[in-house]
PDB file of all heavy atoms in Angstrom:
ATOM      1  N   ALA A   1       3.462  -1.311 -18.420  1.00  0.00           N
ATOM      2  CA  ALA A   1       3.710  -0.996 -19.823  1.00  0.00           C
ATOM      3  C   ALA A   1       5.091  -0.380 -20.026  1.00  0.00           C
ATOM      4  O   ALA A   1       5.730  -0.574 -21.066  1.00  0.00           O
ATOM      5  CB  ALA A   1       2.630  -0.025 -20.346  1.00  0.00           C
ATOM      6  N   LEU A   2       5.572   0.333 -19.027  1.00  0.00           N
ATOM      7  CA  LEU A   2       6.883   0.961 -19.106  1.00  0.00           C
ATOM      8  C   LEU A   2       8.018  -0.003 -18.757  1.00  0.00           C
ATOM      9  O   LEU A   2       9.191   0.367 -18.818  1.00  0.00           O
ATOM     10  CB  LEU A   2       6.932   2.168 -18.156  1.00  0.00           C
ATOM     11  CG  LEU A   2       6.079   3.371 -18.591  1.00  0.00           C
ATOM     12  CD1 LEU A   2       5.961   4.378 -17.480  1.00  0.00           C
ATOM     13  CD2 LEU A   2       6.656   4.015 -19.858  1.00  0.00           C
ATOM     14  N   GLY A   3       7.681  -1.226 -18.377  1.00  0.00           N
ATOM     15  CA  GLY A   3       8.694  -2.242 -18.183  1.00  0.00           C
ATOM     16  C   GLY A   3       8.863  -2.748 -16.772  1.00  0.00           C
ATOM     17  O   GLY A   3       9.708  -3.633 -16.526  1.00  0.00           O
ATOM     18  N   ALA A   4       8.104  -2.223 -15.809  1.00  0.00           N
ATOM     19  CA  ALA A   4       8.205  -2.711 -14.430  1.00  0.00           C
ATOM     20  C   ALA A   4       7.527  -4.076 -14.320  1.00  0.00           C
ATOM     21  O   ALA A   4       6.408  -4.271 -14.816  1.00  0.00           O
ATOM     22  CB  ALA A   4       7.546  -1.722 -13.479  1.00  0.00           C
ATOM     23  N   ARG A   5       8.190  -5.007 -13.668  1.00  0.00           N
ATOM     24  CA  ARG A   5       7.658  -6.368 -13.574  1.00  0.00           C
ATOM     25  C   ARG A   5       7.031  -6.667 -12.205  1.00  0.00           C
ATOM     26  O   ARG A   5       6.280  -7.625 -12.064  1.00  0.00           O
ATOM     27  CB  ARG A   5       8.771  -7.389 -13.833  1.00  0.00           C
ATOM     28  CG  ARG A   5       9.346  -7.345 -15.234  1.00  0.00           C
ATOM     29  CD  ARG A   5      10.498  -8.325 -15.366  1.00  0.00           C
ATOM     30  NE  ARG A   5      11.192  -8.164 -16.632  1.00  0.00           N
ATOM     31  CZ  ARG A   5      12.386  -8.701 -16.895  1.00  0.00           C
ATOM     32  NH1 ARG A   5      12.999  -9.442 -15.980  1.00  0.00           N
ATOM     33  NH2 ARG A   5      12.962  -8.523 -18.080  1.00  0.00           N
ATOM     34  N   HIS A   6       7.394  -5.875 -11.215  1.00  0.00           N
ATOM     35  CA  HIS A   6       6.928  -6.167  -9.853  1.00  0.00           C
ATOM     36  C   HIS A   6       6.134  -4.967  -9.322  1.00  0.00           C
ATOM     37  O   HIS A   6       6.659  -4.145  -8.574  1.00  0.00           O
ATOM     38  CB  HIS A   6       8.127  -6.477  -8.953  1.00  0.00           C
ATOM     39  CG  HIS A   6       9.046  -7.515  -9.494  1.00  0.00           C
ATOM     40  ND1 HIS A   6       8.668  -8.841  -9.643  1.00  0.00           N
ATOM     41  CD2 HIS A   6      10.317  -7.436  -9.973  1.00  0.00           C
ATOM     42  CE1 HIS A   6       9.666  -9.533 -10.155  1.00  0.00           C
ATOM     43  NE2 HIS A   6      10.671  -8.705 -10.364  1.00  0.00           N
ATOM     44  N   VAL A   7       4.877  -4.873  -9.734  1.00  0.00           N
ATOM     45  CA  VAL A   7       4.007  -3.770  -9.345  1.00  0.00           C
ATOM     46  C   VAL A   7       2.762  -4.339  -8.672  1.00  0.00           C
ATOM     47  O   VAL A   7       2.066  -5.182  -9.262  1.00  0.00           O
ATOM     48  CB  VAL A   7       3.578  -2.901 -10.537  1.00  0.00           C
ATOM     49  CG1 VAL A   7       2.785  -1.692 -10.063  1.00  0.00           C
ATOM     50  CG2 VAL A   7       4.793  -2.467 -11.353  1.00  0.00           C
ATOM     51  N   GLU A   8       2.504  -3.920  -7.479  1.00  0.00           N
ATOM     52  CA  GLU A   8       1.301  -4.331  -6.757  1.00  0.00           C
ATOM     53  C   GLU A   8       0.600  -3.072  -6.241  1.00  0.00           C
ATOM     54  O   GLU A   8       1.138  -1.965  -6.309  1.00  0.00           O
ATOM     55  CB  GLU A   8       1.643  -5.254  -5.595  1.00  0.00           C
ATOM     56  CG  GLU A   8       2.283  -6.562  -5.990  1.00  0.00           C
ATOM     57  CD  GLU A   8       2.547  -7.429  -4.777  1.00  0.00           C
ATOM     58  OE1 GLU A   8       1.810  -7.311  -3.774  1.00  0.00           O
ATOM     59  OE2 GLU A   8       3.514  -8.222  -4.827  1.00  0.00           O
ATOM     60  N   TYR A   9      -0.606  -3.262  -5.700  1.00  0.00           N
ATOM     61  CA  TYR A   9      -1.331  -2.143  -5.107  1.00  0.00           C
ATOM     62  C   TYR A   9      -1.925  -2.570  -3.779  1.00  0.00           C
ATOM     63  O   TYR A   9      -2.134  -3.758  -3.497  1.00  0.00           O
ATOM     64  CB  TYR A   9      -2.412  -1.618  -6.046  1.00  0.00           C
ATOM     65  CG  TYR A   9      -3.589  -2.561  -6.207  1.00  0.00           C
ATOM     66  CD1 TYR A   9      -4.670  -2.511  -5.314  1.00  0.00           C
ATOM     67  CD2 TYR A   9      -3.620  -3.499  -7.231  1.00  0.00           C
ATOM     68  CE1 TYR A   9      -5.743  -3.375  -5.457  1.00  0.00           C
ATOM     69  CE2 TYR A   9      -4.687  -4.364  -7.376  1.00  0.00           C
ATOM     70  CZ  TYR A   9      -5.742  -4.299  -6.483  1.00  0.00           C
ATOM     71  OH  TYR A   9      -6.801  -5.162  -6.614  1.00  0.00           O
ATOM     72  N   LEU A  10      -2.201  -1.588  -2.963  1.00  0.00           N
ATOM     73  CA  LEU A  10      -2.830  -1.799  -1.660  1.00  0.00           C
ATOM     74  C   LEU A  10      -3.750  -0.624  -1.390  1.00  0.00           C
ATOM     75  O   LEU A  10      -3.335   0.535  -1.519  1.00  0.00           O
ATOM     76  CB  LEU A  10      -1.762  -1.896  -0.572  1.00  0.00           C
ATOM     77  CG  LEU A  10      -2.233  -1.989   0.889  1.00  0.00           C
ATOM     78  CD1 LEU A  10      -3.022  -3.289   1.108  1.00  0.00           C
ATOM     79  CD2 LEU A  10      -1.032  -1.928   1.829  1.00  0.00           C
ATOM     80  N   VAL A  11      -4.998  -0.923  -1.058  1.00  0.00           N
ATOM     81  CA  VAL A  11      -5.956   0.139  -0.734  1.00  0.00           C
ATOM     82  C   VAL A  11      -6.470  -0.107   0.673  1.00  0.00           C
ATOM     83  O   VAL A  11      -6.971  -1.198   0.974  1.00  0.00           O
ATOM     84  CB  VAL A  11      -7.134   0.161  -1.721  1.00  0.00           C
ATOM     85  CG1 VAL A  11      -8.134   1.236  -1.332  1.00  0.00           C
ATOM     86  CG2 VAL A  11      -6.639   0.418  -3.131  1.00  0.00           C
ATOM     87  N   PRO A  12      -6.364   0.869   1.565  1.00  0.00           N
ATOM     88  CA  PRO A  12      -6.857   0.659   2.933  1.00  0.00           C
ATOM     89  C   PRO A  12      -8.368   0.481   2.957  1.00  0.00           C
ATOM     90  O   PRO A  12      -9.081   1.157   2.214  1.00  0.00           O
ATOM     91  CB  PRO A  12      -6.438   1.942   3.665  1.00  0.00           C
ATOM     92  CG  PRO A  12      -6.244   2.950   2.583  1.00  0.00           C
ATOM     93  CD  PRO A  12      -5.780   2.213   1.384  1.00  0.00           C
ATOM     94  N   ASN A  13      -8.825  -0.428   3.768  1.00  0.00           N
ATOM     95  CA  ASN A  13     -10.247  -0.541   4.025  1.00  0.00           C
ATOM     96  C   ASN A  13     -10.665   0.615   4.935  1.00  0.00           C
ATOM     97  O   ASN A  13     -10.103   0.798   6.017  1.00  0.00           O
ATOM     98  CB  ASN A  13     -10.546  -1.888   4.696  1.00  0.00           C
ATOM     99  CG  ASN A  13     -12.022  -2.123   4.914  1.00  0.00           C
ATOM    100  OD1 ASN A  13     -12.699  -1.344   5.583  1.00  0.00           O
ATOM    101  ND2 ASN A  13     -12.525  -3.208   4.351  1.00  0.00           N
ATOM    102  N   ARG A  14     -11.630   1.406   4.478  1.00  0.00           N
ATOM    103  CA  ARG A  14     -11.979   2.622   5.222  1.00  0.00           C
ATOM    104  C   ARG A  14     -12.469   2.323   6.637  1.00  0.00           C
ATOM    105  O   ARG A  14     -12.339   3.168   7.531  1.00  0.00           O
ATOM    106  CB  ARG A  14     -13.036   3.426   4.451  1.00  0.00           C
ATOM    107  CG  ARG A  14     -14.431   2.898   4.499  1.00  0.00           C
ATOM    108  CD  ARG A  14     -15.437   3.987   4.138  1.00  0.00           C
ATOM    109  NE  ARG A  14     -15.430   4.291   2.709  1.00  0.00           N
ATOM    110  CZ  ARG A  14     -15.677   5.500   2.226  1.00  0.00           C
ATOM    111  NH1 ARG A  14     -15.894   6.511   3.058  1.00  0.00           N
ATOM    112  NH2 ARG A  14     -15.703   5.712   0.927  1.00  0.00           N
ATOM    113  N   PHE A  15     -13.003   1.128   6.852  1.00  0.00           N
ATOM    114  CA  PHE A  15     -13.555   0.811   8.158  1.00  0.00           C
ATOM    115  C   PHE A  15     -12.488   0.328   9.145  1.00  0.00           C
ATOM    116  O   PHE A  15     -12.704   0.358  10.348  1.00  0.00           O
ATOM    117  CB  PHE A  15     -14.646  -0.241   8.014  1.00  0.00           C
ATOM    118  CG  PHE A  15     -15.650   0.095   6.951  1.00  0.00           C
ATOM    119  CD1 PHE A  15     -15.684  -0.597   5.745  1.00  0.00           C
ATOM    120  CD2 PHE A  15     -16.542   1.151   7.115  1.00  0.00           C
ATOM    121  CE1 PHE A  15     -16.592  -0.266   4.746  1.00  0.00           C
ATOM    122  CE2 PHE A  15     -17.459   1.480   6.126  1.00  0.00           C
ATOM    123  CZ  PHE A  15     -17.485   0.782   4.942  1.00  0.00           C
ATOM    124  N   GLU A  16     -11.335  -0.084   8.636  1.00  0.00           N
ATOM    125  CA  GLU A  16     -10.269  -0.571   9.504  1.00  0.00           C
ATOM    126  C   GLU A  16      -9.159   0.464   9.687  1.00  0.00           C
ATOM    127  O   GLU A  16      -8.671   0.687  10.784  1.00  0.00           O
ATOM    128  CB  GLU A  16      -9.654  -1.848   8.932  1.00  0.00           C
ATOM    129  CG  GLU A  16     -10.614  -3.034   8.900  1.00  0.00           C
ATOM    130  CD  GLU A  16      -9.964  -4.265   8.311  1.00  0.00           C
ATOM    131  OE1 GLU A  16      -8.712  -4.341   8.331  1.00  0.00           O
ATOM    132  OE2 GLU A  16     -10.689  -5.143   7.810  1.00  0.00           O
ATOM    133  N   TYR A  17      -8.754   1.113   8.585  1.00  0.00           N
ATOM    134  CA  TYR A  17      -7.581   1.972   8.623  1.00  0.00           C
ATOM    135  C   TYR A  17      -7.888   3.452   8.449  1.00  0.00           C
ATOM    136  O   TYR A  17      -7.064   4.293   8.777  1.00  0.00           O
ATOM    137  CB  TYR A  17      -6.581   1.563   7.541  1.00  0.00           C
ATOM    138  CG  TYR A  17      -6.045   0.159   7.704  1.00  0.00           C
ATOM    139  CD1 TYR A  17      -6.393  -0.850   6.815  1.00  0.00           C
ATOM    140  CD2 TYR A  17      -5.187  -0.149   8.761  1.00  0.00           C
ATOM    141  CE1 TYR A  17      -5.900  -2.134   6.963  1.00  0.00           C
ATOM    142  CE2 TYR A  17      -4.694  -1.434   8.920  1.00  0.00           C
ATOM    143  CZ  TYR A  17      -5.035  -2.426   8.017  1.00  0.00           C
ATOM    144  OH  TYR A  17      -4.558  -3.686   8.167  1.00  0.00           O
ATOM    145  N   GLY A  18      -9.061   3.761   7.868  1.00  0.00           N
ATOM    146  CA  GLY A  18      -9.332   5.160   7.556  1.00  0.00           C
ATOM    147  C   GLY A  18      -8.601   5.586   6.306  1.00  0.00           C
ATOM    148  O   GLY A  18      -8.040   4.781   5.561  1.00  0.00           O
ATOM    149  N   TYR A  19      -8.580   6.896   6.084  1.00  0.00           N
ATOM    150  CA  TYR A  19      -8.069   7.456   4.833  1.00  0.00           C
ATOM    151  C   TYR A  19      -6.562   7.640   4.853  1.00  0.00           C
ATOM    152  O   TYR A  19      -5.971   8.032   5.863  1.00  0.00           O
ATOM    153  CB  TYR A  19      -8.752   8.804   4.575  1.00  0.00           C
ATOM    154  CG  TYR A  19      -8.117   9.601   3.461  1.00  0.00           C
ATOM    155  CD1 TYR A  19      -8.369   9.288   2.136  1.00  0.00           C
ATOM    156  CD2 TYR A  19      -7.248  10.668   3.752  1.00  0.00           C
ATOM    157  CE1 TYR A  19      -7.795  10.012   1.106  1.00  0.00           C
ATOM    158  CE2 TYR A  19      -6.676  11.394   2.728  1.00  0.00           C
ATOM    159  CZ  TYR A  19      -6.937  11.063   1.414  1.00  0.00           C
ATOM    160  OH  TYR A  19      -6.350  11.774   0.400  1.00  0.00           O
ATOM    161  N   GLY A  20      -5.939   7.405   3.715  1.00  0.00           N
ATOM    162  CA  GLY A  20      -4.555   7.825   3.507  1.00  0.00           C
ATOM    163  C   GLY A  20      -3.510   6.826   3.973  1.00  0.00           C
ATOM    164  O   GLY A  20      -3.808   5.695   4.420  1.00  0.00           O
ATOM    165  N   LEU A  21      -2.273   7.277   3.904  1.00  0.00           N
ATOM    166  CA  LEU A  21      -1.129   6.465   4.268  1.00  0.00           C
ATOM    167  C   LEU A  21      -0.918   6.557   5.788  1.00  0.00           C
ATOM    168  O   LEU A  21      -0.074   7.283   6.260  1.00  0.00           O
ATOM    169  CB  LEU A  21       0.115   6.926   3.517  1.00  0.00           C
ATOM    170  CG  LEU A  21       1.357   6.039   3.659  1.00  0.00           C
ATOM    171  CD1 LEU A  21       1.159   4.715   2.948  1.00  0.00           C
ATOM    172  CD2 LEU A  21       2.574   6.766   3.097  1.00  0.00           C
ATOM    173  N   THR A  22      -1.699   5.805   6.529  1.00  0.00           N
ATOM    174  CA  THR A  22      -1.581   5.796   7.979  1.00  0.00           C
ATOM    175  C   THR A  22      -0.426   4.869   8.396  1.00  0.00           C
ATOM    176  O   THR A  22      -0.015   3.993   7.630  1.00  0.00           O
ATOM    177  CB  THR A  22      -2.871   5.299   8.628  1.00  0.00           C
ATOM    178  OG1 THR A  22      -3.111   3.950   8.187  1.00  0.00           O
ATOM    179  CG2 THR A  22      -4.060   6.181   8.235  1.00  0.00           C
ATOM    180  N   PRO A  23       0.099   5.038   9.608  1.00  0.00           N
ATOM    181  CA  PRO A  23       1.141   4.099  10.073  1.00  0.00           C
ATOM    182  C   PRO A  23       0.672   2.654  10.035  1.00  0.00           C
ATOM    183  O   PRO A  23       1.464   1.753   9.760  1.00  0.00           O
ATOM    184  CB  PRO A  23       1.407   4.584  11.502  1.00  0.00           C
ATOM    185  CG  PRO A  23       1.072   6.037  11.486  1.00  0.00           C
ATOM    186  CD  PRO A  23      -0.090   6.147  10.566  1.00  0.00           C
ATOM    187  N   GLU A  24      -0.602   2.411  10.296  1.00  0.00           N
ATOM    188  CA  GLU A  24      -1.127   1.048  10.301  1.00  0.00           C
ATOM    189  C   GLU A  24      -1.075   0.428   8.888  1.00  0.00           C
ATOM    190  O   GLU A  24      -0.716  -0.742   8.724  1.00  0.00           O
ATOM    191  CB  GLU A  24      -2.554   1.031  10.827  1.00  0.00           C
ATOM    192  CG  GLU A  24      -2.697   1.402  12.292  1.00  0.00           C
ATOM    193  CD  GLU A  24      -2.614   2.911  12.547  1.00  0.00           C
ATOM    194  OE1 GLU A  24      -2.705   3.690  11.568  1.00  0.00           O
ATOM    195  OE2 GLU A  24      -2.457   3.284  13.721  1.00  0.00           O
ATOM    196  N   ILE A  25      -1.452   1.213   7.892  1.00  0.00           N
ATOM    197  CA  ILE A  25      -1.422   0.664   6.513  1.00  0.00           C
ATOM    198  C   ILE A  25       0.028   0.519   6.057  1.00  0.00           C
ATOM    199  O   ILE A  25       0.348  -0.370   5.270  1.00  0.00           O
ATOM    200  CB  ILE A  25      -2.240   1.541   5.551  1.00  0.00           C
ATOM    201  CG1 ILE A  25      -2.617   0.717   4.286  1.00  0.00           C
ATOM    202  CG2 ILE A  25      -1.499   2.777   5.108  1.00  0.00           C
ATOM    203  CD1 ILE A  25      -3.596  -0.378   4.561  1.00  0.00           C
ATOM    204  N   VAL A  26       0.930   1.357   6.565  1.00  0.00           N
ATOM    205  CA  VAL A  26       2.353   1.205   6.244  1.00  0.00           C
ATOM    206  C   VAL A  26       2.879  -0.107   6.797  1.00  0.00           C
ATOM    207  O   VAL A  26       3.643  -0.815   6.125  1.00  0.00           O
ATOM    208  CB  VAL A  26       3.163   2.393   6.793  1.00  0.00           C
ATOM    209  CG1 VAL A  26       4.664   2.109   6.735  1.00  0.00           C
ATOM    210  CG2 VAL A  26       2.834   3.679   6.025  1.00  0.00           C
ATOM    211  N   ASP A  27       2.469  -0.448   8.015  1.00  0.00           N
ATOM    212  CA  ASP A  27       2.898  -1.712   8.596  1.00  0.00           C
ATOM    213  C   ASP A  27       2.408  -2.902   7.754  1.00  0.00           C
ATOM    214  O   ASP A  27       3.135  -3.891   7.568  1.00  0.00           O
ATOM    215  CB  ASP A  27       2.399  -1.848  10.030  1.00  0.00           C
ATOM    216  CG  ASP A  27       3.139  -0.916  10.993  1.00  0.00           C
ATOM    217  OD1 ASP A  27       4.263  -0.474  10.655  1.00  0.00           O
ATOM    218  OD2 ASP A  27       2.588  -0.627  12.075  1.00  0.00           O
ATOM    219  N   GLU A  28       1.187  -2.802   7.247  1.00  0.00           N
ATOM    220  CA  GLU A  28       0.680  -3.873   6.382  1.00  0.00           C
ATOM    221  C   GLU A  28       1.467  -3.899   5.071  1.00  0.00           C
ATOM    222  O   GLU A  28       1.797  -4.972   4.556  1.00  0.00           O
ATOM    223  CB  GLU A  28      -0.797  -3.689   6.093  1.00  0.00           C
ATOM    224  CG  GLU A  28      -1.372  -4.785   5.234  1.00  0.00           C
ATOM    225  CD  GLU A  28      -2.880  -4.723   5.087  1.00  0.00           C
ATOM    226  OE1 GLU A  28      -3.538  -4.191   5.973  1.00  0.00           O
ATOM    227  OE2 GLU A  28      -3.388  -5.235   4.065  1.00  0.00           O
ATOM    228  N   ALA A  29       1.757  -2.717   4.547  1.00  0.00           N
ATOM    229  CA  ALA A  29       2.524  -2.644   3.293  1.00  0.00           C
ATOM    230  C   ALA A  29       3.901  -3.253   3.468  1.00  0.00           C
ATOM    231  O   ALA A  29       4.448  -3.919   2.561  1.00  0.00           O
ATOM    232  CB  ALA A  29       2.636  -1.196   2.851  1.00  0.00           C
ATOM    233  N   PHE A  30       4.494  -3.060   4.626  1.00  0.00           N
ATOM    234  CA  PHE A  30       5.848  -3.536   4.877  1.00  0.00           C
ATOM    235  C   PHE A  30       5.934  -5.064   4.744  1.00  0.00           C
ATOM    236  O   PHE A  30       6.968  -5.615   4.352  1.00  0.00           O
ATOM    237  CB  PHE A  30       6.305  -3.118   6.278  1.00  0.00           C
ATOM    238  CG  PHE A  30       7.712  -3.508   6.608  1.00  0.00           C
ATOM    239  CD1 PHE A  30       8.793  -2.971   5.916  1.00  0.00           C
ATOM    240  CD2 PHE A  30       7.966  -4.431   7.617  1.00  0.00           C
ATOM    241  CE1 PHE A  30      10.089  -3.339   6.219  1.00  0.00           C
ATOM    242  CE2 PHE A  30       9.260  -4.798   7.939  1.00  0.00           C
ATOM    243  CZ  PHE A  30      10.331  -4.265   7.236  1.00  0.00           C
ATOM    244  N   GLY A  31       4.816  -5.727   5.014  1.00  0.00           N
ATOM    245  CA  GLY A  31       4.797  -7.187   4.873  1.00  0.00           C
ATOM    246  C   GLY A  31       5.015  -7.643   3.454  1.00  0.00           C
ATOM    247  O   GLY A  31       5.383  -8.800   3.220  1.00  0.00           O
ATOM    248  N   ARG A  32       4.803  -6.768   2.496  1.00  0.00           N
ATOM    249  CA  ARG A  32       5.018  -7.130   1.084  1.00  0.00           C
ATOM    250  C   ARG A  32       6.436  -6.793   0.632  1.00  0.00           C
ATOM    251  O   ARG A  32       6.768  -6.998  -0.540  1.00  0.00           O
ATOM    252  CB  ARG A  32       3.991  -6.411   0.210  1.00  0.00           C
ATOM    253  CG  ARG A  32       2.549  -6.705   0.601  1.00  0.00           C
ATOM    254  CD  ARG A  32       1.594  -6.226  -0.458  1.00  0.00           C
ATOM    255  NE  ARG A  32       0.210  -6.359  -0.055  1.00  0.00           N
ATOM    256  CZ  ARG A  32      -0.836  -6.165  -0.857  1.00  0.00           C
ATOM    257  NH1 ARG A  32      -0.619  -5.825  -2.136  1.00  0.00           N
ATOM    258  NH2 ARG A  32      -2.079  -6.299  -0.418  1.00  0.00           N
ATOM    259  N   ARG A  33       7.214  -6.214   1.492  1.00  0.00           N
ATOM    260  CA  ARG A  33       8.628  -5.894   1.256  1.00  0.00           C
ATOM    261  C   ARG A  33       8.846  -5.046  -0.015  1.00  0.00           C
ATOM    262  O   ARG A  33       9.658  -5.375  -0.879  1.00  0.00           O
ATOM    263  CB  ARG A  33       9.450  -7.178   1.135  1.00  0.00           C
ATOM    264  CG  ARG A  33       9.490  -8.001   2.425  1.00  0.00           C
ATOM    265  CD  ARG A  33      10.226  -7.217   3.522  1.00  0.00           C
ATOM    266  NE  ARG A  33      10.484  -8.027   4.706  1.00  0.00           N
ATOM    267  CZ  ARG A  33       9.673  -8.107   5.761  1.00  0.00           C
ATOM    268  NH1 ARG A  33       8.545  -7.410   5.757  1.00  0.00           N
ATOM    269  NH2 ARG A  33       9.980  -8.830   6.802  1.00  0.00           N
ATOM    270  N   PRO A  34       8.137  -3.913  -0.154  1.00  0.00           N
ATOM    271  CA  PRO A  34       8.385  -3.082  -1.333  1.00  0.00           C
ATOM    272  C   PRO A  34       9.691  -2.304  -1.192  1.00  0.00           C
ATOM    273  O   PRO A  34      10.100  -1.920  -0.096  1.00  0.00           O
ATOM    274  CB  PRO A  34       7.183  -2.149  -1.333  1.00  0.00           C
ATOM    275  CG  PRO A  34       6.812  -2.008   0.103  1.00  0.00           C
ATOM    276  CD  PRO A  34       7.090  -3.364   0.720  1.00  0.00           C
ATOM    277  N   ASP A  35      10.334  -2.059  -2.322  1.00  0.00           N
ATOM    278  CA  ASP A  35      11.491  -1.154  -2.344  1.00  0.00           C
ATOM    279  C   ASP A  35      11.030   0.293  -2.431  1.00  0.00           C
ATOM    280  O   ASP A  35      11.665   1.186  -1.870  1.00  0.00           O
ATOM    281  CB  ASP A  35      12.392  -1.485  -3.534  1.00  0.00           C
ATOM    282  CG  ASP A  35      12.911  -2.906  -3.491  1.00  0.00           C
ATOM    283  OD1 ASP A  35      13.675  -3.210  -2.539  1.00  0.00           O
ATOM    284  OD2 ASP A  35      12.554  -3.702  -4.365  1.00  0.00           O
ATOM    285  N   LEU A  36       9.942   0.487  -3.177  1.00  0.00           N
ATOM    286  CA  LEU A  36       9.423   1.848  -3.396  1.00  0.00           C
ATOM    287  C   LEU A  36       7.940   1.838  -3.149  1.00  0.00           C
ATOM    288  O   LEU A  36       7.177   1.059  -3.752  1.00  0.00           O
ATOM    289  CB  LEU A  36       9.725   2.296  -4.817  1.00  0.00           C
ATOM    290  CG  LEU A  36       9.251   3.716  -5.205  1.00  0.00           C
ATOM    291  CD1 LEU A  36       9.949   4.769  -4.353  1.00  0.00           C
ATOM    292  CD2 LEU A  36       9.472   3.980  -6.684  1.00  0.00           C
ATOM    293  N   LEU A  37       7.479   2.711  -2.300  1.00  0.00           N
ATOM    294  CA  LEU A  37       6.063   2.878  -1.998  1.00  0.00           C
ATOM    295  C   LEU A  37       5.589   4.169  -2.661  1.00  0.00           C
ATOM    296  O   LEU A  37       6.192   5.219  -2.448  1.00  0.00           O
ATOM    297  CB  LEU A  37       5.861   2.930  -0.479  1.00  0.00           C
ATOM    298  CG  LEU A  37       4.445   2.824   0.082  1.00  0.00           C
ATOM    299  CD1 LEU A  37       4.487   2.229   1.484  1.00  0.00           C
ATOM    300  CD2 LEU A  37       3.780   4.187   0.111  1.00  0.00           C
ATOM    301  N   VAL A  38       4.554   4.087  -3.459  1.00  0.00           N
ATOM    302  CA  VAL A  38       4.042   5.241  -4.206  1.00  0.00           C
ATOM    303  C   VAL A  38       2.576   5.465  -3.816  1.00  0.00           C
ATOM    304  O   VAL A  38       1.747   4.572  -4.032  1.00  0.00           O
ATOM    305  CB  VAL A  38       4.142   5.032  -5.737  1.00  0.00           C
ATOM    306  CG1 VAL A  38       3.622   6.252  -6.474  1.00  0.00           C
ATOM    307  CG2 VAL A  38       5.577   4.724  -6.147  1.00  0.00           C
ATOM    308  N   THR A  39       2.285   6.607  -3.245  1.00  0.00           N
ATOM    309  CA  THR A  39       0.870   6.917  -2.964  1.00  0.00           C
ATOM    310  C   THR A  39       0.223   7.505  -4.203  1.00  0.00           C
ATOM    311  O   THR A  39       0.853   8.248  -4.975  1.00  0.00           O
ATOM    312  CB  THR A  39       0.726   7.919  -1.807  1.00  0.00           C
ATOM    313  OG1 THR A  39       1.152   9.222  -2.224  1.00  0.00           O
ATOM    314  CG2 THR A  39       1.520   7.485  -0.583  1.00  0.00           C
ATOM    315  N   VAL A  40      -1.044   7.171  -4.430  1.00  0.00           N
ATOM    316  CA  VAL A  40      -1.819   7.744  -5.516  1.00  0.00           C
ATOM    317  C   VAL A  40      -3.130   8.265  -4.951  1.00  0.00           C
ATOM    318  O   VAL A  40      -3.835   7.559  -4.239  1.00  0.00           O
ATOM    319  CB  VAL A  40      -2.060   6.702  -6.658  1.00  0.00           C
ATOM    320  CG1 VAL A  40      -0.743   6.358  -7.336  1.00  0.00           C
ATOM    321  CG2 VAL A  40      -2.721   5.439  -6.144  1.00  0.00           C
ATOM    322  N   ASP A  41      -3.428   9.524  -5.236  1.00  0.00           N
ATOM    323  CA  ASP A  41      -4.639  10.184  -4.757  1.00  0.00           C
ATOM    324  C   ASP A  41      -4.673  10.330  -3.238  1.00  0.00           C
ATOM    325  O   ASP A  41      -5.723  10.452  -2.640  1.00  0.00           O
ATOM    326  CB  ASP A  41      -5.892   9.428  -5.237  1.00  0.00           C
ATOM    327  CG  ASP A  41      -7.177  10.223  -5.000  1.00  0.00           C
ATOM    328  OD1 ASP A  41      -7.115  11.465  -5.049  1.00  0.00           O
ATOM    329  OD2 ASP A  41      -8.221   9.603  -4.742  1.00  0.00           O
TER     330      ASP A  41
END
């Protein structure tokens, strides 16, 4: 709504990665080539 055109989300599967921004979920996130990673909650 504020004008960003390239916004995606990623939620770790609790059974594979566990809670939070783990190094493993970061590696998966890197595959999407984000410029800015924003954690929520």
Side-chain angles (χ1 to χ4, degrees):
L2 291 168
R5 295 176 188 166
H6 308 293
V7 185
E8 297 182 29
Y9 71 87
L10 175 64
V11 178
N13 184 301
R14 75 160 74 213
F15 310 108
E16 295 179 23
Y17 298 111
Y19 169 78
L21 188 69
T22 61
E24 294 78 13
I25 201 69
V26 168
D27 288 340
E28 181 172 334
F30 183 66
R32 303 192 186 188
R33 295 295 189 267
D35 300 296
L36 180 63
L37 192 153
V38 181
T39 71
V40 293
D41 191 32

